[in-house]
């Protein structure tokens, strides 16, 4: 079972991937260093290091679906 605490919703706008709010610092509309073409690899389970440009914190993305990215650490209720 996927731990919901380790997920965070993302948004697609054109080819860009955004977080509405950063789970670590709270900044709004964070453009992620991911593109739409990277999502099939994440959905299939390829791990990827994600450095958030707003606060320079690092997350390891271990999975994804059409709505959420799954990290290797809890992302909810951190602030």
């Amino acid at each position: 079972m996927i731990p919901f605490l380790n997920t965070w919703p993302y948004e697609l706008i054109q080819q860009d991937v955004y977080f509405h709010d950063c789970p670590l610092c709270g900044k709004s509309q964070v453009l992620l260093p991911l593109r739409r073409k990277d999502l099939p690899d994440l959905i299939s389970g390829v791990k990827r290091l994600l450095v958030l440009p707003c606060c320079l914190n690092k997350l390891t993305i271990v999975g994804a679906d059409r709505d959420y990215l799954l990290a290797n650490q809890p992302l909810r209720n951190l602030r």
Side-chain angles (χ1 to χ4, degrees):
M1 181 175 208
I2 295 173
F4 188 68
L5 290 175
N6 291 19
T7 63
W8 199 257
Y10 67 89
E11 299 176 30
L12 292 173
I13 301 175
Q14 300 285 340
Q15 299 301 314
D16 297 327
V17 181
Y18 286 87
F19 279 162
H20 181 66
D21 294 314
C22 176
L24 303 175
C25 72
K27 184 169 174 15
S28 296
Q29 297 302 320
V30 179
L31 174 63
L32 300 177
L34 294 173
R35 297 294 171 250
R36 183 183 295 261
K37 65 180 175 68
D38 299 325
L39 291 175
D41 287 340
L42 294 173
I43 290 170
S44 68
V46 174
K47 294 180 183 178
R48 179 159 179 175
L49 181 66
L50 179 66
V51 178
L52 298 168
C54 52
C55 56
L56 301 180
N57 284 309
K58 298 174 188 168
L59 297 173
T60 301
I61 304 300
V62 296
D65 64 14
R66 292 178 15 175
D67 300 315
Y68 293 94
L69 294 179
L70 175 64
N72 66 337
Q73 66 188 41
L75 299 178
R76 297 183 183 275
N77 300 326
L78 292 179
R79 289 181 271 148

